[in-house]
Amino acid sequence: MLKVENVSAGYGGIKVLDRISFSVSEGKIVTLIGSNGVGKTTTLRTISGLLRPTEGRILFCNEDISKAAPHKIVEQGISHVPEGRNVFPRLTVKENLEMGAYIRKDAAGIRKDYQMVMETFPQLAQRQRQTAGTLSGGEQQMLAMGRALMSRPRLLLLDEPSMGLAPLVVLGIFEIIKEVNRQGTTILLVEQNAQVALRTAHRGYVMETGRIILEDSADALLQNDQVRKAYLGE
Amino acid sequence: MHKIILKAANICHSFGGLMALKDVDFAIKSGEIVGLIGPNGAGKTTLFNLFTGHYAPTRGEILFNNLRISGLKPYQITPLGIARTFQNIRLFGQMSVLDNVLTGQHCRTRTGLFGAIIRTRSSKKEESRAHKTAQEMLHFVNLGDKKNEYASNLSYGERRRLEIARALATDPTLLLLDEPAAGMNPQETADLIELIRQIRVKMDKTILLIEHDMKVVMGISERVAVLNYGRKIAEGTPGEVQKNEAVIKAYLGESA
Amino acid sequence: APKEPANGGDETTEIKIGMVGPLSGDAAAYGINILRAAEIAIEEANASGELGDITLKIISEDTEGDWAKAANAFTKLIDVDGVSVIIGGVLSSESEAGSDIVKDAAIPTISPSSTSVDLTKGNPYLFRNCLSDEVQAVQLAEFAVEELGMGKFAILFTKNDYGESLRDAFKNKAEELAEVVAVESFMDKDNDFKAQITKIKEKNPDCLYIAGYYTEAAKIAQQAQQAGMDIQLLGADGLCNVVFLEVGEDAVEGTYATSGFYPDDPMTAVQDFVKAYKDKHGEEPDMFAAQGYDAARIVIEAIKSKGTTSEQIREGIAATADFPGITGKTSLDEEGDTIKDVLILKVENGKFVRVR
Amino acid sequence: MIGPYYLQLLILIGINTIMATSLNLILGYTGQLSIGHAAFMSLGAYGSALVTLHFGFPFLVSLLCGALFAAFFGIIIGLPTLRLKGDYLAIATLGLGEIVRIVFLNLELTGGAVGLRGIPKKTTLLWVVLAVLFTVFILSRIIRSRIGRAFIAIREDETAADSMGINSTYYKTLCFGVGAFFAGLGGGLFAHYMRYLNPNSFGFMRSIEHLCMVVLGGLGNMWGAFIGATILTVTPELLRTVADLRLLIYGAVLVLMMRVRPQGLLGQPLRNGIPLLGRFFQQARPKL
Amino acid sequence: MFIQQLINGLILGSTYALIALGYTMVYGIIELINFAHGEIYMFGAFVGLILVTVFKVPFILAFLLAMAAGALLGITVEYLAYRPLRQSSRLAALISAIGASIFLSNLALLIMGAQPYTFPSPFDATVYRTSLFVISKVEIIVLASSILLMIALTLFVQRTKVGKAMRATAQDKDTASLMGININRIITITFAIGSALGAAAGVMVGVYFRTVTPTMGLMPGLKGFVAAVIGGIGNIPGAMFGGIALGIAEVMGAAYISSQYRDAVAFALLIIVLLLKPSGLLGRTAQEKV
Ligand SMILES: Nc1ncnc2c1ncn2[C@@H]1O[C@H](COP(=O)(O)OP(=O)(O)OP(=O)(O)O)[C@@H](O)[C@H]1O
Ligand SMILES: Nc1ncnc2c1ncn2[C@@H]1O[C@H](COP(=O)(O)OP(=O)(O)OP(=O)(O)O)[C@@H](O)[C@H]1O
Ligand SMILES: [Mg+2]
Ligand SMILES: [Mg+2]
């Protein structure tokens, strides 16, 4: 479904991604793990069009999206939950969620999904009229997830969804990720918490300073010595 | 030795209509490492903000070393010996790493306008002392070789450590850490745990930390307090808290 | 020291005349009109051959209406362009800022429009040829009391040197002859005067003296009319522009204003100028233009009578007596200040007519 | 020998450098958007001119008086308004600047709308150069001290600065006081060069001009302020050759310069759109 | 007299409000002090004037065409002077805006000359007199149109999808684009609306005060900015209230203190308002979350 081919990207003169290639097949959860600063976030930003690749190309459903603007990419069906949540601080929770459904036209469907999000994150339901900037960190994370779901994406890019969340919520979030995936959304998951990420995902890639150094099925990676030592803290 | 250094009595805090904290009693003894946990939005960061003077409690009072600090401003509280890090890192981005830590020494130095312009003897001495301390702090958190970088050029983990160094530079007796391990991988987390231990052992600080990573909280805290919906629902040793029904239900979940 | 233009070998001598004034910004209309008129005067002089083999060239510098920038303009004209004489500044503050500069450089300078009190005093190089505020205001106050039978005056003045000196002069005279019940001020380029008008209306004056320029004065007239004030309007030369009539419409009917210039004056000099100006710029010249024209003419006469060096021009200007300008017979006193007749115009059927 | 015109330009460059560096302390280092700098200049100008005219103080003393006068008002005025942030502060400083101007316009003592005449010419290029060096020296000493770090910390993140024990109100006031002091110094030099003062030259547009100098040169950079002052003093004069098109081109030049170097000529380039002035001037980001 | 002065302030204030509405619109979305707004206002007035006097276009049509022309100019300015600076600091954009403003007003001066033009009034000069106050038809129209525009604009921004997208864009452009919002389009729309309002204000105020000049944008532009900030940045009803507060403060200052200190009194009052409400009359006073 998503094919990243020899993509390089960076900020200003600094090259962060060095000709990385990987792919995500339809219906799967694929995870990208790696230490801080290796370029995971950069990878996601490049896919969703916030950054332009300096070389290589990105194919989504066999269409080249590497030069498309972010909003076009969203229309193609890719939704990105950015790192650090980035909710709209002065919009209410409800309005934030409505923004998630910006590209959709089916009012009824939107309403249904809104209910779904409220049920998934009951804590948000209590705060529909609060401005998002005053939510606690965890609440904001939930809101960012919920907002992405509102666009009914075909491919969901998640950047560290568990950051700053209470353990119970983390478990919940990963359950939700699985559930969303079961309902047909393909997921590319970036996580520090490699343990949980690999347990959730079908396939995994390991990044190190701008390159992909390992790829395998998630189960295999969980067993991989190198991975266990470097990323699972064992 | 084990005297109470921070005591909060019947703290309430509301934002508009929302009660973020309700009747919280809390105390920390000198030399302890205390963990503060609770679901998202439980009011942990808010409690920190009350301790450091960013908000004034709606009701209740906070004593630090028997001095009433509730109602004081952050810049008045820091010199008394409370320092913190922020949940969302708040470094001085366009300042060098060294200058960030030097800024931490602000409340421990005196040079005024005159001294700064004339560069009096005492101001020079003070400045070189501050530099020395700052370098020590940077070495301590293992950032010695980055001192001339802009803070905004650091990687995430480095920023977290720099924030800790900056807080330590204010020479606190009580250090408040708000989710220091967030966004770190297991290896870095392990390093962080070691760092926090060192802070206590080598620098003799009392530490209160908020954290969602149970490996950290349970690994290093001697005592853990749990907030839920603004109320303290449990307090005790990590072992006790982990077994507490209410805590499991509200926060940890069955499998943790 | 003034530099003489280098004219090695040429038969014709070129004399550079500087012009300093606001050519952009809020006050641009005043400066531009003066410049246009001065240009006409100089073109005419060059064409007529009245100066023999001398040609005149005007170099204008913009001040943006800021006196500090006027200082640059003066210095640049003197030092870089080597002008022999300057027409300007337009606003009083510009002339004030230039005063010491032209004195140090010994460059004669004649302002066509700076009215501030004692401007030219103690500076032998600075002259002006505009109506003195004192004379205008005093004569109009006398006229209003004696001819129109007014007794209760209100004054509305613009908060600059022009408005202030008119106010002072008018107020003194009016208080001497009758009663002044209200004095209010406004800022240049203000649009809204209702607050002041409402205040004045409370006092029930029978006559309102507007010490300001035409745009604001017209709006004041309108807003006063709208507020239901039935009042005789008076003003100074700042009102004499078609804009006053256009904007003010019927609200300005019956207004009396002092002026040095009356465009419908049958005098040929006036009619020639009005025609030349209209042909070139498509609009009727106003008081600023007329004074600019006269200032340039005074300079030309000075060159004719005394010679081409700065010092000679200075002597020539200083000696101006009974110069038959389009703004009336002009003489300069020993301080370089103008002595000139004052006209009184009245707005009748949307036109200025001369009543005295 | 240089001619009077070029001499005058050099002197104005010097005075504008003092204005720009002192504003740079407020805006570039402490991150406070002030658009009333011309008011401090006028306070210094009138202050020093009045003591010269009325008490015949020697030049240096009168300059000092003017500067102190400006600093005094900088502090008095600054104290309440510095609670305000960002554009709210900008409006307050703009308003205060206008108030100062209007007061001068109405005071008998300062000649009102007619202006203040007869100030002796005392400012020479030498004095201006000395004053520039003095300003730059003092300001760099301040910046490279504990106080300077406090200023920058406030600019970068006031909340975090508070947490370092920095009393931000005190330091912001101090910064306004020092900035106003030097603006007043510039004003004093200006008064004794121009020999005439009128409040209308110290309006809002003059403050904006100072702002342009600082931003164009590069915020938070001493040399930047000098370069910005030089360019913006010289450009309008150079453009005198094009007469009618002068300000048209000047406006276009401002736009183009910002396009080519948005961070200012000597400013640091931005990292991924995070402006030099950190959080403060950036569009609102969620504060987590 | 007090009532009359209040009305005077209200009307003057609503002329400021008309300008402030467009100002705050742009200001709220891209947090740019759009210095050139005053020039767009001037441009709108000129377009309206030329259409009415030279082309004899009916007033309403001229009004609408002026708005369209204003929108076009706004979009052009945004494209040339602001868009290239989107990623830069706000101050860089501010300087660019100042440059654009100087450019436009001097361009107008070059083309139109410095003499004020008279705007023929399309409304009859009816004046309504009561025992307490006097008000004219034009004044009522000015007041009503500013209120109507405020309501329409508020509804637009609060309720419509595009309006919400504008607010989202204001807060975080990158994230907004991740929602599928075409940032450039939204900003273009914002400028178009804001500038159309600016031009509308130009025509209205031109008609009301009867003159049009190339420099007419400077002071009102400044006052519009002040009004927008006083009302609370980006807050549309705030702009309205800010404008009216400014108008009333000015008039009351002139009426009861001194007309010589009119603006000084107004600014002093406004500073006091700000000290009491540091984020503007209707600004959010929510505590910053640390
Ligand atoms: N805006 C930026 N400008 C310049 N360099 C940047 C920027 N953002 C990130 N970088 C650099 O790019 C590299 C990769 O960053 P990236 O955020 O992609 O890492 P990551 O793998 O997501 O790390 P983390 O786990 O901390 O989120 C880092 O070295 C970082 O310093
Ligand atoms: N400035 C504010 N205005 C309004 N509500 C606020 C503000 N700050 C915090 N809150 C609310 O108070 C509650 C407690 O927030 P707090 O940040 O203390 O949570 P927390 O326990 O630190 O959560 P997390 O673990 O997610 O960081 C939350 O519901 C939050 O929405
Ligand atoms: Mg990342
Ligand atoms: Mg928290």
Side-chain angles (χ1 to χ4, degrees):
Chain A
M1 182 179 220
L2 180 77
K3 258 213 187 81
V4 173
E5 294 175 352
N6 289 319
V7 163
S8 297
Y11 304 92
I14 318 153
K15 192 166 171 182
V16 175
L17 299 183
D18 188 10
R19 301 173 63 82
I20 62 163
S21 302
F22 66 93
S23 59
V24 179
S25 25
E26 177 130 33
K28 295 279 188 267
I29 303 180
V30 174
T31 182
L32 202 56
I33 58 176
S35 313
N36 287 122
V38 296
K40 305 182 298 291
T41 299
T42 309
T43 307
L44 294 195
R45 287 171 64 87
T46 312
I47 296 171
S48 62
L50 292 174
L51 278 175
R52 278 277 158 80
T54 48
E55 57 181 318
R57 51 181 202 155
I58 301 168
L59 299 177
F60 181 62
C61 299
N62 293 322
E63 230 177 282
D64 190 349
I65 56 165
S66 43
K67 294 202 172 49
H71 64 98
K72 290 281 174 211
I73 294 175
V74 179
E75 282 167 18
Q76 300 264 323
I78 300 183
S79 194
H80 181 172
V81 178
E83 184 181 38
R85 301 130 196 188
N86 289 357
V87 294
F88 299 114
R90 295 192 299 278
L91 297 188
T92 62
V93 168
K94 183 153 180 280
E95 287 170 331
N96 262 281
L97 291 172
E98 285 168 358
M99 287 327 298
Y102 184 75
I103 53 166
R104 291 172 63 184
K105 302 255 169 346
D106 56 323
I110 294 175
R111 230 172 299 124
K112 214 174 107 233
D113 284 349
Y114 186 80
Q115 281 315 317
M116 181 270 292
V117 170
M118 288 294 119
E119 279 156 30
T120 318
F121 304 105
Q123 217 152 341
L124 292 183
Q126 298 164 7
R127 304 189 187 286
Q128 295 181 50
R129 303 195 152 267
Q130 192 172 336
T131 48
T134 59
L135 293 179
S136 84
E139 292 161 348
Q140 291 186 355
Q141 183 66 55
M142 298 175 206
L143 179 58
M145 278 279 280
R147 193 178 58 185
L149 294 179
M150 291 295 288
S151 76
R152 286 251 150 217
R154 286 196 284 166
L155 173 65
L156 185 60
L157 310 177
L158 293 174
D159 201 348
E160 305 208 17
S162 75
M163 180 148 109
L165 292 191
L168 191 58
V169 185
V170 174
L171 293 178
I173 291 262
F174 282 98
E175 280 312 313
I176 291 163
I177 291 173
K178 280 192 219 157
E179 177 56 33
V180 168
N181 175 249
R182 261 196 297 277
Q183 290 172 10
T185 306
T186 311
I187 289 171
L188 175 57
L189 170 68
V190 161
E191 254 300 334
Q192 285 291 350
N193 194 338
Q195 184 95 36
V196 196
L198 289 174
R199 268 203 238 117
T200 314
H202 302 104
R203 209 172 166 71
Y205 291 86
V206 181
M207 271 187 95
E208 217 162 71
T209 52
R211 293 162 190 274
I212 299 224
I213 53 155
L214 258 182
E215 72 157 292
D216 211 330
S217 75
D219 294 337
L221 286 176
L222 269 172
Q223 303 309 319
N224 184 308
D225 274 351
Q226 201 186 339
V227 173
R228 292 175 70 96
K229 248 184 101 191
Y231 303 105
L232 304 178
E234 286 171 13
Chain B
M1 171 72 212
H2 293 309
K3 90 177 199 300
I4 289 181
I5 59 169
L6 182 90
K7 189 169 154 50
N10 289 318
I11 296 291
C12 294
H13 192 74
S14 67
F15 296 103
L18 180 97
M19 275 295 239
L21 289 173
K22 293 169 208 141
D23 290 324
V24 175
D25 283 310
F26 192 72
I28 304 175
K29 294 200 206 78
S30 161
E32 273 188 310
I33 297 186
V34 182
L36 182 60
I37 59 174
N40 297 112
K44 306 180 295 295
T45 302
T46 305
L47 195 59
F48 267 29
N49 286 334
L50 294 177
F51 290 162
T52 55
H54 285 100
Y55 304 150
T58 312
R59 193 141 47 78
E61 94 177 333
I62 302 165
L63 299 175
F64 181 65
N65 285 331
N66 292 324
L67 196 78
R68 190 190 154 106
I69 58 167
S70 37
L72 294 187
K73 293 268 178 308
Y75 71 86
Q76 294 165 315
I77 292 177
T78 307
L80 299 176
I82 302 182
R84 74 176 293 180
T85 65
F86 294 89
Q87 181 168 3
N88 53 314
I89 304 173
R90 300 189 87 137
L91 286 170
F92 307 125
Q94 296 291 321
M95 246 181 173
S96 73
V97 166
L98 181 66
D99 279 348
N100 264 277
V101 183
L102 281 172
T103 306
Q105 298 250 313
H106 187 87
C107 60
R108 303 295 169 212
T109 45
R110 292 278 80 86
T111 302
L113 200 54
F114 183 76
I117 294 170
I118 307 297
R119 294 232 167 117
T120 53
R121 253 272 227 20
S122 67
S123 80
K124 274 196 219 152
K125 232 162 82 193
E126 190 180 85
E127 188 75 8
S128 72
R129 194 152 29 84
H131 268 83
K132 205 164 134 263
T133 319
Q135 306 259 22
E136 278 168 21
M137 294 302 159
L138 283 176
H139 282 296
F140 187 76
V141 300
N142 211 0
L143 283 174
D145 49 341
K146 298 259 171 163
K147 64 177 186 186
N148 293 324
E149 290 269 356
Y150 273 124
S152 58
N153 289 356
L154 294 184
S155 77
Y156 189 83
E158 288 167 338
R159 287 187 213 185
R160 282 262 177 233
R161 278 184 277 141
L162 176 56
E163 232 199 350
I164 294 175
R166 189 181 67 177
L168 286 174
T170 66
D171 193 18
T173 40
L174 173 63
L175 180 62
L176 310 178
L177 301 173
D178 198 345
E179 301 197 24
M184 289 190 169
N185 68 24
Q187 184 54 51
E188 289 163 323
T189 306
D191 293 346
L192 179 79
I193 293 177
E194 189 47 35
L195 180 67
I196 295 174
R197 286 218 174 94
Q198 293 292 320
I199 293 172
R200 203 233 325 233
V201 176
K202 290 207 181 141
M203 300 200 160
D204 194 25
K205 309 284 183 210
T206 309
I207 294 168
L208 172 63
L209 87 162
I210 299 175
E211 190 45 74
H212 288 302
D213 186 334
M214 287 306 112
K215 270 212 286 304
V216 180
V217 186
M218 301 305 172
I220 52 176
S221 327
E222 283 137 15
R223 199 152 58 80
V224 176
V226 189
L227 285 180
N228 189 26
Y229 284 112
R231 285 188 196 283
K232 193 163 80 178
I233 57 166
E235 191 166 2
T237 63
E240 289 164 11
V241 167
Q242 262 168 321
K243 285 194 222 84
N244 185 311
E245 275 303 314
V247 178
I248 292 175
K249 192 153 160 289
Y251 182 64
L252 292 172
E254 298 298 342
S255 58
Chain C
K3 288 182 201 152
E4 285 309 305
N7 59 326
D10 266 333
E11 318 96 80
T12 58
T13 315
E14 187 184 72
I15 297 182
K16 291 179 182 158
I17 300 176
M19 188 274 167
V20 174
L23 305 176
S24 63
D26 267 347
Y30 315 142
I32 290 173
N33 288 356
I34 287 174
L35 175 62
R36 285 172 169 180
E39 276 171 351
I40 289 175
I42 280 161
E43 278 159 23
E44 283 171 1
N46 283 338
S48 72
E50 62 185 299
L51 289 168
D53 56 4
I54 298 172
T55 49
L56 304 177
K57 183 180 170 208
I58 194 159
I59 303 170
S60 60
E61 291 300 349
D62 180 21
T63 64
E64 299 163 45
D66 177 348
W67 58 268
K69 290 183 173 139
N72 287 351
F74 276 108
T75 314
K76 190 236 166 198
L77 283 171
I78 296 168
D79 185 34
V80 178
D81 299 314
V83 297
S84 311
V85 53
I86 295 174
I87 297 173
V90 170
L91 306 177
S92 291
S93 54
E94 292 171 357
S95 300
E96 297 275 8
S99 171
D100 285 320
I101 296 172
V102 300
K103 188 167 153 193
D104 289 353
I107 298 294
T109 298
I110 178 162
S111 165
S113 57
S114 300
T115 53
S116 70
V117 195
D118 294 342
L119 172 69
T120 55
K121 207 168 182 176
N123 186 345
Y125 289 90
L126 192 57
F127 306 91
R128 66 173 161 202
N129 82 319
C130 41
L131 280 184
S132 140
D133 295 336
E134 182 79 26
V135 180
Q136 292 195 63
V138 168
Q139 293 203 7
L140 193 64
E142 283 168 352
F143 177 79
V145 176
E146 284 154 20
E147 312 275 321
L148 304 176
M150 297 292 156
K152 267 171 99 179
F153 289 93
I155 302 173
L156 195 46
F157 69 101
T158 176
K159 193 69 211 137
N160 61 23
D161 54 280
Y162 177 66
E164 282 196 348
S165 52
L166 283 174
R167 172 205 60 187
D168 289 341
F170 192 88
K171 187 160 167 269
N172 288 341
K173 194 72 194 171
E175 275 172 349
E176 191 185 305
L177 302 173
E179 186 190 3
V180 175
V181 292
V183 181
E184 294 293 332
S185 78
F186 60 91
M187 294 295 249
D188 250 0
K189 305 297 153 194
D190 267 358
N191 275 320
D192 178 272
F193 310 92
K194 296 234 188 62
Q196 290 93 323
I197 288 170
T198 307
K199 238 171 129 179
I200 290 172
K201 192 180 167 203
E202 287 284 292
K203 302 275 167 50
N204 258 321
D206 46 26
C207 183
L208 173 64
Y209 184 67
I210 305 172
Y213 290 121
Y214 46 87
T215 317
E216 292 79 21
K219 292 178 185 176
I220 290 170
Q222 265 208 337
Q223 293 174 18
Q225 184 191 45
Q226 194 218 303
M229 245 162 115
D230 183 19
I231 196 166
Q232 173 64 50
L233 295 178
L234 304 175
D237 54 356
L239 265 51
C240 300
N241 183 299
V242 283
V243 172
F244 181 67
L245 307 172
E246 283 171 15
V247 176
E249 293 176 335
D250 57 335
V252 300
E253 270 298 307
T255 304
Y256 287 95
T258 45
S259 177
F261 176 60
Y262 175 49
D264 291 330
D265 192 320
M267 213 172 101
T268 45
V270 175
Q271 284 318 307
D272 288 350
F273 168 68
V274 171
K275 182 170 180 308
Y277 194 96
K278 263 189 174 158
D279 286 351
K280 200 162 171 204
H281 302 294
E283 60 191 36
E284 188 165 275
D286 65 352
M287 181 257 322
F288 284 99
Q291 283 171 355
Y293 183 82
D294 272 357
R297 280 306 313 171
I298 291 173
V299 169
I300 294 164
E301 293 298 334
I303 294 171
K304 258 203 306 210
S305 66
K306 298 281 169 159
T308 58
T309 69
S310 290
E311 201 46 45
Q312 288 164 339
I313 299 174
R314 192 199 74 77
E315 284 165 23
I317 297 174
T320 302
D322 291 337
F323 162 74
I326 57 173
T327 58
K329 219 175 242 153
T330 308
S331 302
L332 294 182
D333 65 14
E334 63 276 18
E335 292 288 1
D337 222 336
T338 336
I339 307 164
K340 205 189 280 204
D341 299 334
V342 179
L343 308 174
I344 294 179
L345 307 182
K346 182 181 184 193
V347 180
E348 269 175 18
N349 302 320
K351 281 192 76 65
F352 282 111
V353 295
R354 182 160 56 184
V355 290
R356 199 175 93 183
Chain D
M1 252 319 273
I2 44 175
Y5 176 60
Y6 299 101
L7 183 68
Q8 177 160 341
L9 282 189
L10 286 177
I11 285 176
L12 289 179
I13 287 172
I15 292 173
N16 281 336
T17 303
I18 295 174
M19 297 312 299
T21 32
S22 55
L23 179 61
N24 199 7
L25 182 76
I26 297 173
L27 179 67
Y29 288 96
T30 317
Q32 307 298 308
L33 183 51
S34 160
I35 34 183
H37 212 54
F40 297 136
M41 185 182 188
S42 70
L43 286 163
Y46 276 104
S48 69
L50 288 174
V51 296
T52 302
L53 288 174
H54 290 280
F55 308 118
F57 280 3
F59 183 43
L60 274 186
V61 180
S62 74
L63 283 183
L64 186 69
C65 287
L68 286 174
F69 187 60
F72 175 74
F73 272 92
I75 291 168
I76 294 287
I77 288 172
L79 217 48
T81 44
L82 286 172
R83 289 182 29 210
L84 301 173
K85 296 203 160 81
D87 293 336
Y88 298 101
L89 176 66
I91 287 294
T93 52
L94 183 154
L96 288 168
E98 284 300 290
I99 292 174
V100 168
R101 187 176 71 85
I102 294 167
V103 168
F104 278 135
L105 206 52
N106 284 300
L107 281 186
E108 200 115 321
L109 183 67
T110 57
V114 176
L116 193 61
R117 291 173 182 158
I119 306 162
K121 181 167 190 162
K122 300 253 179 89
T123 304
T124 61
L125 186 59
L126 181 66
W127 279 122
V128 171
V129 170
L130 289 178
V132 170
L133 292 177
F134 175 70
T135 308
V136 172
F137 172 76
I138 300 279
L139 290 183
S140 12
R141 278 269 163 111
I142 293 177
I143 286 156
R144 295 213 196 90
S145 73
R146 159 179 185 272
I147 298 172
R149 285 194 298 267
F151 287 165
I152 300 174
I154 290 171
R155 171 188 87 191
E156 292 291 316
D157 188 331
E158 204 173 319
T159 306
D162 273 347
S163 283
M164 298 298 109
I166 294 168
N167 179 348
S168 50
T169 311
Y170 172 80
Y171 281 99
K172 283 196 272 183
T173 312
L174 182 67
C175 161
F176 257 70
V178 173
F181 179 89
F182 287 104
L185 178 67
L189 289 166
F190 184 73
H192 287 87
Y193 183 72
M194 288 296 177
R195 292 178 273 179
Y196 168 73
L197 286 178
N198 184 310
N200 284 337
S201 198
F202 301 106
F204 154 77
M205 279 318 281
R206 179 57 53 94
S207 295
I208 289 288
E209 215 173 288
H210 296 146
L211 186 72
C212 290
M213 289 173 186
V214 178
V215 178
L216 192 72
L219 287 160
N221 185 312
M222 281 287 167
W223 282 103
F226 168 67
I227 303 241
T230 308
I231 291 181
L232 290 192
T233 313
V234 171
T235 309
E237 294 300 320
L238 286 181
L239 289 175
R240 284 196 181 278
T241 48
V242 290
D244 277 2
L245 300 177
R246 190 166 84 100
L247 290 179
L248 199 72
I249 295 177
Y250 180 71
V253 165
L254 279 184
V255 174
L256 283 179
M257 287 212 223
M258 285 341 279
R259 257 185 102 144
V260 176
R261 270 192 84 80
Q263 72 271 38
L265 293 166
L266 298 186
Q268 285 127 351
L270 312 178
R271 267 172 63 93
N272 184 36
I274 298 184
L276 187 60
L277 290 190
R279 296 159 191 274
F280 182 71
F281 286 105
Q282 204 190 3
Q283 61 144 329
R285 290 244 155 211
K287 301 227 156 119
L288 300 181
Chain E
M1 159 155 128
F2 180 77
I3 303 285
Q4 178 67 53
Q5 294 291 26
L6 208 60
I7 302 248
N8 292 344
L10 197 66
I11 306 292
L12 178 62
S14 48
T15 68
Y16 294 149
L18 275 172
I19 304 161
L21 285 174
Y23 220 117
T24 217
M25 175 100 196
V26 169
Y27 192 21
I29 306 304
I30 56 172
E31 305 226 334
L32 164 74
I33 303 174
N34 181 14
F35 229 81
H37 192 73
E39 273 59 45
I40 287 166
Y41 157 91
M42 173 270 293
F43 177 76
F46 267 117
V47 172
L49 173 81
I50 291 171
L51 288 174
V52 169
T53 54
V54 179
F55 297 100
K56 310 287 181 223
V57 176
F59 178 74
I60 292 296
L61 186 61
F63 184 76
L64 294 175
L65 286 174
M67 284 178 79
L72 215 60
L73 179 65
I75 293 171
T76 313
V77 170
E78 193 272 329
Y79 188 78
L80 293 177
Y82 305 152
R83 186 165 299 189
L85 294 170
R86 192 82 56 76
Q87 296 301 317
S88 313
S89 77
R90 284 186 56 204
L91 283 175
L94 173 67
I95 304 301
S96 191
I98 291 169
S101 151
I102 295 177
F103 179 88
L104 289 174
S105 69
N106 282 284
L107 186 66
L109 182 68
L110 207 62
I111 298 171
M112 302 306 296
Q115 272 308 340
Y117 289 82
T118 313
F119 211 124
S121 178
F123 310 113
D124 54 70
T126 318
V127 175
Y128 306 96
R129 290 173 207 281
T130 70
S131 58
L132 284 175
F133 61 89
V134 178
I135 193 165
S136 72
K137 190 163 167 183
V138 193
E139 289 175 333
I140 293 173
I141 290 171
V142 167
L143 183 63
S145 50
S146 62
I147 292 172
L148 277 178
L149 281 176
M150 177 200 75
I151 293 172
L153 211 55
T154 310
L155 288 179
F156 176 75
V157 170
Q158 293 295 334
R159 298 287 167 80
T160 67
K161 200 160 145 177
V162 174
K164 281 178 194 161
M166 283 177 174
R167 289 193 290 144
T169 306
Q171 296 171 34
D172 190 336
K173 289 191 197 61
D174 272 359
T175 311
S177 72
L178 291 180
M179 302 294 111
I181 297 170
N182 183 343
I183 300 301
N184 284 333
R185 209 178 119 243
I186 290 293
I187 291 180
T188 303
I189 295 176
T190 307
F191 265 89
I193 297 177
S195 304
L197 286 173
V203 178
M204 287 305 298
V205 178
V207 164
Y208 178 45
F209 288 128
R210 308 299 310 279
T211 52
V212 179
T213 61
T215 52
M216 69 187 271
L218 182 69
M219 260 334 246
L222 183 65
K223 296 247 165 98
F225 168 51
V226 173
V229 174
I230 296 290
I233 295 169
N235 186 315
I236 289 165
M240 177 86 197
F241 286 110
I244 287 178
L246 184 61
I248 292 184
E250 261 187 46
V251 167
M252 292 303 166
Y256 294 102
I257 298 180
S258 157
S259 55
Q260 308 209 27
Y261 285 95
R262 173 175 170 145
D263 281 2
V265 172
F267 276 117
L269 282 177
L270 296 175
I271 289 168
I272 292 168
V273 166
L274 277 187
L275 291 179
L276 298 175
K277 292 217 64 180
S279 43
L281 279 174
L282 299 190
R284 292 156 294 107
T285 36
Q287 212 166 6
E288 185 196 8
K289 180 147 167 28
V290 181

